[in-house]
Amino acid sequence: MNESIVYLLKTENSTFVKASLFDQVTDDHLAMWNNEWVPVMKKHAGDLKLKDAPEDSHWNWKKKLAQVEHLLSYQSFALVCEGVLQGLMIVSNVRSAKIQEQFGKPVVYVEFVSTAPWNRAEINKPVKYRGVGRVFILAAIESSREMGYGGRVGLHSLPQAERFYENKCGFKRLGPESTHQNLCYFEMTSSQADLFCQNMK
Amino acid sequence: MKLNYPKEWYEKSALIEGDDEIGAGAPPVDWCAREDEGGIESRIALGQFVELWRRDKGWNAERLASEAGIDTVEVLELEKDPRHEPEPDAVYKLSKVFGVSSRKMMELAGLVQNRNPYLREEAIRFAAQASPLSKLTDVEQQSLEAFVSALTLTN
Amino acid sequence: MSAKRTMTLNLTDREMLVLEQLAAKKDLSKTGVMKLALRLLQTVDERIEPGKKLVVEDESKNEKSELVFL
């Protein structure tokens, strides 16, 4: 397992604090998810009508990981800052690109990505740490490059995050897909990935 | 995979990100359950069905779990928490104990695509009539029997 | 980073030709194609159990055909 040092913006005092990105989710991370995220998410979702609860409030990361952790085609990531789990991501690397110019070439596909409840404006405003989403996209791009996929990345965005992927990461929107609960599919080309890594988008 | 970017990259990146939501991902419908408003009603019915079925037998949750070969916690979560994403294996094993169609149980659990449009109506009717009392009333008994036959009939 | 091990792969001309064509099509090195093939085989093999089949669907023509797999 590799640990990368990254930085998040702590809004409380507007300082950048060190965080660790691990390229493997461990039992310790899952215990943090279960003990720290789940109670907050359950309380928040319980106060809302089901249709208003965050789309991913019911995701069970332990089960998701158990289904894929033994497969070479999946990789998981955990982001920890100041001793607390801030985000989780699972990617796979056997899917093909859909954008015409790179059609059929392999992409790193973000199966699932979530940030901790206290980093979501809808639950906790101001959010505690900023920057979790782009750290994960950076990790997906680097993972894609490492596999020889040239930084190509694809994902199905939850409705409330579409703006983030299109406007703040430079993904191309390809439209809703019935095979994925009509969530919109987004994809990034190698050149878009280069721009992202230069913080141009 | 190791990231080697300077602190400045993350400083600029966090400012670009702002307070946007970042959630992504949806399991294909056949892989894993996702709840919508229709799904939750089916799952409430499934929970009540599991509870009524075992009470009708005079079993506690532990006994049912042991008969099915699954964790007691799985039985309790199925009965009490419609937001709980059940294990396909547990739903399958329970359907065998109940002697009902595993496919329909999977549909109620939201684990496979809905093929039986009437099943959801049956489930809602059942959920509306059943109530968690200690002893099954005559109405609950009839309701349970009708729902068992709806789950058993093949179509 | 976990340690890597080396193996020699003997391919026929035909196999090598297919490997080169796939490497060009997928924009990967030949090693990359072999690794992708290994990941795909493990993923599919894990999902295919007795009673399950792998299906290729053409949404535009509403056609489904079974992909025969080991």
Side-chain angles (χ1 to χ4, degrees):
Chain A
M1 179 175 60
N2 290 301
E3 176 182 351
S4 303
I5 298 301
V6 303
Y7 294 85
L8 296 175
L9 174 60
K10 189 174 186 178
T11 59
E12 187 185 303
N13 52 9
S14 297
T15 54
F16 284 88
V17 286
K18 258 189 194 174
S20 294
L21 179 76
F22 298 93
D23 65 356
Q24 191 184 334
V25 175
T26 63
D27 288 346
D28 285 349
H29 298 138
L30 289 175
M32 287 194 230
W33 163 77
N34 195 41
N35 298 334
E36 291 157 16
W37 290 24
V38 172
V40 182
M41 286 300 253
K42 273 196 171 166
K43 187 180 180 309
H44 176 71
D47 291 343
L48 298 169
K49 283 185 182 169
L50 192 68
K51 66 180 170 58
D52 297 326
E55 300 277 329
D56 56 339
S57 58
H58 59 278
W59 286 1
N60 186 329
W61 283 91
K62 200 172 170 183
K63 286 184 185 171
K64 287 186 192 313
L65 213 67
Q67 284 177 307
V68 301
E69 62 189 349
H70 56 292
L71 294 172
L72 295 172
S73 52
Y74 291 84
Q75 193 176 9
S76 59
F77 296 87
L79 181 58
V80 177
C81 185
E82 300 188 310
V84 179
L85 182 71
Q86 304 299 336
L88 287 168
M89 176 170 77
I90 299 176
V91 303
S92 64
N93 47 41
V94 287
R95 294 216 195 196
S96 296
K98 298 178 183 180
I99 292 179
Q100 194 59 37
E101 66 176 278
Q102 58 188 20
F103 189 85
K105 292 177 183 171
V107 292
V108 160
Y109 174 78
V110 178
E111 297 277 347
F112 302 100
V113 63
S114 268
T115 185
W118 45 85
N119 295 330
R120 299 166 183 227
E122 101 180 85
I123 299 175
N124 183 44
K125 204 159 187 180
V127 301
K128 193 158 186 191
Y129 298 98
R130 272 191 202 132
V132 173
R134 281 181 53 98
V135 166
F136 278 129
I137 294 307
L138 182 67
I141 290 171
E142 286 300 326
S143 173
S144 169
R145 287 174 170 171
E146 201 173 275
M147 311 234 65
Y149 296 180
R152 294 183 293 268
V153 174
L155 57 85
H156 286 89
S157 170
L158 297 184
Q160 65 272 28
E162 290 179 3
R163 198 177 78 112
F164 172 68
Y165 290 109
E166 192 167 23
N167 299 342
K168 301 208 168 166
C169 295
F171 279 83
K172 185 175 168 68
R173 172 196 291 263
L174 276 91
E177 293 191 331
S178 59
T179 50
H180 289 75
Q181 294 142 7
N182 284 323
L183 293 187
C184 219
Y185 180 70
F186 290 81
E187 198 170 285
M188 186 178 257
T189 62
S190 297
S191 49
Q192 284 164 338
D194 291 344
L195 287 175
F196 181 95
C197 294
Q198 294 162 35
N199 261 331
M200 304 290 277
K201 194 64 182 181
Chain B
M1 200 278 317
K2 195 142 188 175
L3 298 176
N4 286 308
Y5 284 75
K7 188 179 177 188
E8 293 71 39
W9 189 90
Y10 298 100
E11 290 174 355
K12 194 169 174 196
S13 178
L15 296 177
I16 294 172
E17 181 162 329
D19 281 351
D20 276 26
E21 294 283 339
I22 64 135
V29 277
D30 262 16
W31 193 49
C32 204
R34 183 171 165 272
E35 294 150 9
D36 53 28
E37 283 182 291
I40 200 102
E41 286 159 350
S42 293
R43 240 188 239 167
I44 290 169
L46 178 67
Q48 290 185 339
F49 171 63
V50 173
E51 188 181 341
L52 259 63
W53 192 95
R54 72 164 173 80
R55 276 173 42 210
D56 188 42
K57 280 265 182 194
W59 292 0
N60 58 20
E62 201 171 7
R63 169 83 191 273
L64 175 59
S66 144
E67 295 283 339
I70 61 175
D71 281 350
T72 309
V73 174
E74 188 71 39
V75 171
L76 291 172
E77 284 185 327
L78 249 168
E79 289 185 2
K80 305 290 179 205
D81 183 5
R83 288 172 191 274
H84 170 66
E85 199 173 272
E87 294 279 5
D89 182 55
V91 174
Y92 179 81
K93 285 176 174 166
L94 283 171
S95 76
K96 296 294 148 199
V97 175
F98 299 156
V100 301
S101 155
S102 57
R103 165 85 209 182
K104 288 185 180 176
M105 283 270 290
M106 292 282 193
E107 270 185 45
L108 280 183
L111 293 167
V112 292
Q113 256 177 319
N114 192 339
R115 276 200 205 146
N116 300 282
Y118 302 113
L119 186 61
R120 196 175 148 236
E121 286 172 30
E122 287 284 350
I124 294 167
R125 191 161 38 239
F126 170 73
Q129 284 173 7
S131 63
L133 297 171
S134 58
K135 194 174 183 305
L136 260 59
T137 63
D138 289 347
V139 175
E140 280 181 327
Q141 185 73 45
Q142 283 167 13
S143 167
L144 177 63
E145 282 165 12
F147 195 49
V148 167
S149 59
L151 281 174
T152 312
L153 286 173
T154 49
N155 56 355
Chain C
M1 184 64 93
S2 53
K4 291 191 172 171
R5 298 174 62 178
T6 305
M7 66 172 274
T8 308
L9 185 64
N10 291 313
L11 297 180
T12 62
D13 287 348
R14 218 172 133 212
E15 286 165 343
M16 184 57 89
L17 179 66
V18 171
L19 180 57
E20 283 168 353
Q21 286 170 342
L22 279 171
K25 186 177 173 189
K26 297 286 174 188
D27 195 16
L28 285 173
S29 64
K30 284 182 272 192
T31 304
V33 172
M34 294 308 296
K35 286 185 168 189
L36 175 57
L38 179 62
R39 292 194 294 269
L40 264 173
L41 178 58
Q42 191 204 21
T43 307
V44 173
D45 191 57
E46 155 101 7
R47 295 286 298 276
I48 302 287
E49 296 163 11
K52 287 191 177 177
K53 56 189 176 185
L54 194 60
V55 171
V56 178
E57 184 172 2
D58 183 339
E59 275 190 330
S60 60
K61 293 182 188 158
N62 202 17
E63 277 178 6
K64 285 185 186 177
S65 56
E66 186 180 345
L67 191 65
V68 179
F69 216 85
L70 294 174

